[in-house]
Structure formats: C-alpha cells, structure tokens
C-alpha cells in the first residue's frame, strides 16, 4: 500500500518517486517507451492530454513499475482522483 500521508495525486506520487531516484523525464521516456509529452501530462495529472483511458492506465502502470511503485496503488489513486 502507499505509505504517504494525506491526499496525493498519481502524478505527484510518481514525480516524487522519479525525482528521489535521480532520474530525468527523458531517461524515463527512454526506459518506458512512453513519449515525453505523455509523461509530462501524467506528472501534471492532465490525463485529458492522453488519448484514451486504456493508454492512461497502461502508461501509469509502466511509469509506476519503472520507479518502483506498486502499479495497483497508482491505479487506485487515479480512480479516486478522476472519480
């Protein structure tokens, strides 16, 4: 389960984890094959910029896995964030 206090968005969680690991968005884009603009949209919680719910969830899973966060925890946050 997520071990962070208070309300946190999926983008905040993933961004903080990425930064804590010392990785750039460009490095993450290369590792995950997710286009840089999509990673930026995720970190800003601007999911409307990603075409389709299937892509959003797939990108969230890949990003989470790459930075060492349980993908299901991120998807739960996403569901709570988007209603």
């Amino acid at each position: 389960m997520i071990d962070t206090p208070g309300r946190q968005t999926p983008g905040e969680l993933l961004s903080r984890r990425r930064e804590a690991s010392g990785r750039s968005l460009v490095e993450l884009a290369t590792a995950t094959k997710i286009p840089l603009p999509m990673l930026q949209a995720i970190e800003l919680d601007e999911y409307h910029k990603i075409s389709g719910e299937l892509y959003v969830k797939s990108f969230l899973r890949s990003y989470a896995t790459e930075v060492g966060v349980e993908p299901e925890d991120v998807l739960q946050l996403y569901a709570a964030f988007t209603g």
Side-chain angles (χ1 to χ4, degrees):
M1 197 70 189
I2 301 167
D3 59 350
T4 54
R7 279 179 130 358
Q8 183 170 223
T9 68
E12 290 169 344
L13 172 65
L14 294 171
S15 175
R16 286 185 183 139
R17 268 305 172 94
R18 177 186 57 77
E19 291 169 357
S21 71
R23 297 173 77 183
S24 71
L25 275 175
V26 172
E27 291 170 324
L28 198 65
T30 300
T32 62
K33 308 291 190 248
I34 299 171
L36 184 59
M38 300 300 101
L39 291 175
Q40 292 168 328
I42 287 170
E43 288 196 353
L44 295 172
D45 295 299
E46 295 177 340
Y47 304 107
H48 62 278
K49 292 184 177 180
I50 302 171
S51 64
E53 186 83 2
L54 181 65
Y55 284 107
V56 171
K57 289 180 177 181
S58 176
F59 291 166
L60 286 171
R61 278 189 193 93
S62 295
Y63 190 141
T65 300
E66 191 63 32
V67 297
V69 176
E70 179 60 44
E72 289 306 313
D73 290 344
V74 174
L75 291 176
Q76 287 176 3
L77 272 178
Y78 171 72
F81 179 76
T82 58

